[in-house]
Amino acid sequence: MAITKITNLEFGKMVQAASSRLSQQAEFINSLNVFPVPDGDTGTNMTSTIQSGAKYERNETSTNVGDLAQAFAKGLLMGARGNSGVILSQIFRGFAKAAEGHKELTSADFVDAYANGAKTAYKTVMKPTEGTILTVVRESAQAGLNKIKETDDLVEIMHTISTAAQESLKKTPDLLPVLKQVGVVDSGGQGLVFVLEAFDDALSGKEISKADYKPDQAEVDQMVHAMDHESVQGKLDPKDIKYTYCTQMLVRIGKGKQVKQKFDYDTFYNYLAKLGDSLLVLNDDSVVRVHVHTEHPGKVLSWGQEFGDLQTIEIHNMVWQQEEIMEKDEESGETPAEASQNPVEEKPAQAAAPAPETAVIAVASGAGIEKLLKSLGVTQIIQGGQTMNPSIADLANAIKASGAKQALLLPNNGNIFMAADQAANVADIPVAVVHTKSVPQAISSLMDYNPEEDIKANQQAMESVLDTVKSGQLTKAIRDSSIDGKEIKEGQYMGIVDGKIVANDDELDATAQSMVKQMLDDESSVVTILYGADGDEKYAHQLAKEISKMDDELDVEVYEGDQPVYPYLVSVE
């Protein structure tokens, strides 16, 4: 029987199916990174984005599809990470705008809403690039508009849209030469294809089976929270807690030195069920996630190791936690019943520092880099950067928490620009984004920061120096690749300057010196080296000496950055 309208039930299934599909495919999308470096995060970003949207949609009590679409769009926006996540949020912002006020969506309503999503996404990007997610959404939306002229069966229409997206994705390498060089399709476009495929499966009934359904991380977190709340917070006395330890682990099935058994769900589950309660076991082909309340966390971990190695472990003493809560309740005068409803807040050891007139907020990772940025005037650090793009909500919350009357925001990564711009739009105070692509650019721009000027003047002054900074990154290739005319082998060192691989070699020093030589010119005066968590201070100073030999008039500085992903960052200005 044909489906000619989408009710709240169909829409909910579509959203949750898409969230689950992206969660399952995140690592595959990450692997489509153009450069062979360990910083592919499109899949991670899109998954976090849609999980936030799915959570908002689940929590919306209205049965009107228009309201559910609004909730989904808001969740996407607040959870949006990276440019791909922001564009995904804009697609469904346009969709929600067109669906506003509709209790249900007819076939024509749905097609028009999706087409409006494509238009909205294009308007969001100042200079749209074809061969990306934008091409995929535009061409698939057009396919839907064409199909509605032939039929009002939503199953047929959605399948047509999904198929058109797949075909559009296949053509992205022909539109973006760099994709063709490396032999991959656009990662953001691939993410959208997975979303549309999930929509297609949900409408045709393929995603309804509970046996095939895999809850996303947001749902897992909700289930775990509910179990913990029921076991602990509702009880008045720690003595009433039957099992002491909340134990969680993530097991990589079949990996590790102590594997003794082939994974079987019933065997795995039944043993753990004897060790405690509040048991949650979720798995796919590669990992199994466990949550259980027990007196024997060691036995739980040992059992996991019989099937694979332990990727993550969390053990919390719930008796101790409840004792702490009750002690604080007694000090504050709250009753235990009141305490179960109110979050515990630590009292500050000393009075908080007064809020600055202007907050200077930067995205960064690494203790050394944080210390350096704060010495240059940054008032607040948001943890993040490569592979850890903060969401719009993360950025907006940091702005609000600053308590300032106005703020400057330095994203320090091109993939955070769109999220930063959106955060500035939703903030309650005036915010100007200084579009720094790297920490070295941030360092240089902060030299031009004047706390006596307003944020617009500072933004203009700070952005005016960005083009004078060349940013280099030294790291190892994680796979064989052919790009920019270079044949790169897994394990080789690579030198990347402003997004282009300019040097590669089996030896670190040869790669570093080649990269720096290409960064220097007659105007160069200062070279800064930041060695990261996987870098070596001794080599950083050795490289500084080699650079000084290239030009003895250069001022070469070395700092401990502690940054992840890239062992060495080098800037020239």
Side-chain angles (χ1 to χ4, degrees):
M1 186 176 72
I3 297 176
T4 58
K5 63 182 179 181
I6 293 176
T7 68
N8 61 310
L9 296 178
E10 282 83 20
F11 188 75
K13 289 175 184 177
M14 292 164 67
V15 168
Q16 303 309 321
S19 179
S20 179
R21 183 69 59 85
L22 274 184
S23 299
Q24 294 168 3
Q25 299 295 342
E27 287 306 314
F28 172 71
I29 300 171
N30 285 343
S31 73
L32 299 176
N33 187 29
V34 170
F35 284 172
V37 295
D39 66 351
D41 52 11
T42 301
T44 303
N45 287 338
M46 295 187 79
T47 296
S48 295
T49 301
I50 202 164
Q51 285 181 351
S52 176
K55 180 179 179 181
Y56 273 65
E57 190 275 336
R58 277 196 303 273
N59 292 340
E60 173 57 56
T61 58
S62 173
T63 58
N64 291 345
V65 175
D67 294 337
L68 294 173
Q70 290 287 343
F72 182 48
K74 183 177 180 181
L76 287 170
L77 178 64
M78 299 313 295
R81 298 176 188 270
N83 292 341
S84 55
V86 173
I87 292 174
L88 185 67
S89 76
Q90 296 307 296
I91 291 171
F92 287 98
R93 182 171 73 89
F95 181 100
K97 184 66 176 176
E100 189 174 0
H102 289 264
K103 181 176 178 57
E104 301 171 339
L105 295 182
T106 66
S107 304
D109 292 336
F110 175 79
V111 169
D112 288 343
Y114 184 59
N116 194 56
K119 292 178 182 178
T120 302
Y122 263 86
K123 290 178 182 177
T124 301
V125 182
M126 187 173 296
K127 296 181 180 179
T129 301
E130 296 298 335
T132 65
I133 185 175
L134 293 174
T135 304
V136 176
V137 70
R138 175 175 56 78
E139 293 187 345
S140 59
Q142 186 59 53
L145 291 170
N146 294 340
K147 190 67 176 177
I148 192 66
K149 298 174 183 177
E150 304 172 9
T151 180
D152 63 353
D153 185 351
L154 272 164
V155 175
E156 287 188 35
I157 293 169
M158 191 66 246
H159 187 66
T160 297
I161 290 173
S162 175
T163 302
Q166 295 169 28
E167 293 302 315
S168 180
L169 180 68
K170 291 177 183 177
K171 295 185 293 184
T172 55
D174 296 326
L175 299 173
L176 270 183
V178 67
L179 297 177
K180 197 161 195 173
Q181 279 187 49
V182 183
V184 297
V185 294
D186 178 68
S187 55
Q190 178 66 81
L192 179 61
V193 165
F194 282 135
V195 169
L196 297 175
E197 285 178 348
F199 283 2
D200 186 12
D201 287 347
L203 280 176
S204 61
K206 294 179 183 178
E207 287 285 340
I208 296 175
S209 171
K210 290 185 178 180
D212 296 329
Y213 179 69
K214 304 295 181 185
D216 62 31
Q217 185 59 48
E219 291 174 275
V220 172
D221 290 343
Q222 282 188 336
M223 286 187 278
V224 169
H225 175 75
M227 289 177 174
D228 291 347
H229 184 82
E230 181 180 355
S231 295
V232 180
Q233 297 299 330
K235 291 186 169 64
L236 304 183
D237 192 329
K239 295 177 183 178
D240 292 333
I241 298 174
K242 184 176 181 180
Y243 294 106
T244 305
Y245 302 100
C246 172
T247 305
Q248 298 182 61
M249 65 178 177
L250 188 66
V251 182
R252 295 197 306 164
I253 299 173
K255 305 290 185 180
K257 300 178 181 179
Q258 300 185 48
V259 176
K260 297 178 182 178
Q261 301 192 50
K262 184 177 180 180
F263 183 79
D264 174 76
Y265 183 89
D266 291 335
T267 301
F268 188 83
Y269 183 96
N270 291 338
Y271 176 83
L272 293 174
K274 298 174 183 177
L275 295 180
D277 63 12
S278 298
L279 177 61
L280 182 65
V281 176
L282 304 166
N283 75 286
D284 57 22
D285 293 336
S286 59
V287 297
V288 57
R289 183 186 301 276
V290 173
H291 169 277
V292 64
H293 295 169
T294 181
E295 286 297 301
H296 306 286
K299 289 183 179 180
V300 174
L301 302 184
S302 295
W303 183 243
Q305 285 184 291
E306 292 204 13
F307 298 87
D309 60 13
L310 306 182
Q311 187 170 348
T312 58
I313 300 169
E314 287 186 33
I315 301 174
H316 302 289
N317 185 319
M318 297 186 293
V319 172
W320 177 81
Q321 288 177 330
Q322 187 69 357
E323 289 172 346
E324 287 284 293
I325 290 171
M326 293 186 70
E327 287 176 9
K328 287 183 171 61
D329 296 340
E330 291 173 1
E331 293 173 4
S332 66
E334 281 187 315
T335 67
E338 289 169 339
S340 68
Q341 302 298 322
N342 297 327
V344 177
E345 294 184 3
E346 294 288 344
K347 293 182 179 180
Q350 59 185 23
E357 181 80 12
T358 301
V360 183
I361 304 170
V363 179
S365 182
I369 287 176
E370 291 182 27
K371 183 178 179 180
L372 181 58
L373 292 177
K374 286 184 176 180
S375 73
L376 295 172
V378 169
T379 59
Q380 194 172 349
I381 298 289
I382 300 173
Q383 287 292 324
Q386 205 65 46
T387 75
M388 299 182 294
N389 296 161
S391 68
I392 292 174
D394 292 334
L395 299 170
N397 288 338
I399 293 167
K400 184 176 182 179
S402 72
K405 295 181 179 179
Q406 57 183 3
L408 288 165
L409 181 56
L410 285 67
N412 297 337
N413 186 303
N415 203 37
I416 306 176
F417 281 5
M418 293 182 72
D421 290 337
Q422 290 294 327
N425 289 338
V426 301
D428 294 329
I429 61 173
V431 178
V433 179
V434 181
H435 293 87
T436 49
K437 292 182 179 179
S438 64
V439 169
Q441 281 194 343
I443 293 171
S444 181
S445 70
L446 287 165
M447 298 295 183
D448 282 68
Y449 171 61
N450 183 352
E452 302 301 320
E453 294 283 357
D454 63 35
I455 56 172
K456 289 299 182 183
N458 270 308
Q459 179 193 42
Q460 184 176 1
M462 294 168 76
E463 289 195 337
S464 68
V465 302
L466 298 184
D467 290 339
T468 68
V469 183
K470 297 176 184 177
S471 300
Q473 303 160 321
L474 286 167
T475 189
K476 278 188 174 182
I478 60 171
R479 66 171 186 269
D480 292 350
S481 184
S482 177
I483 186 170
D484 293 335
K486 300 184 184 304
E487 294 296 326
I488 301 165
K489 300 298 181 184
E490 180 181 351
Q492 275 193 327
Y493 289 97
M494 297 183 300
I496 306 170
V497 178
D498 293 327
K500 183 176 182 180
I501 299 174
V502 299
N504 64 293
D505 196 277
D506 293 333
E507 299 297 326
L508 171 62
D509 194 49
T511 307
Q513 290 199 48
S514 176
M515 181 187 79
V516 173
K517 286 177 181 176
Q518 296 181 65
M519 295 173 73
L520 296 174
D521 57 34
D522 293 339
E523 303 297 321
S524 301
S525 59
V526 178
V527 179
T528 303
I529 302 171
L530 297 168
Y531 60 92
D534 296 322
D536 179 71
E537 180 181 8
K538 184 178 179 180
Y539 176 69
H541 285 286
Q542 178 187 325
L543 177 60
K545 291 179 181 179
E546 295 297 332
I547 294 172
S548 294
K549 292 178 182 178
M550 298 177 192
D551 184 344
D552 58 11
E553 293 186 0
L554 289 171
D555 180 11
V556 186
E557 302 171 348
V558 176
Y559 296 98
E560 180 181 13
D562 298 315
Q563 72 273 3
V565 183
Y566 295 103
Y568 303 94
L569 299 177
V570 181
S571 68
V572 175
E573 51 187 307

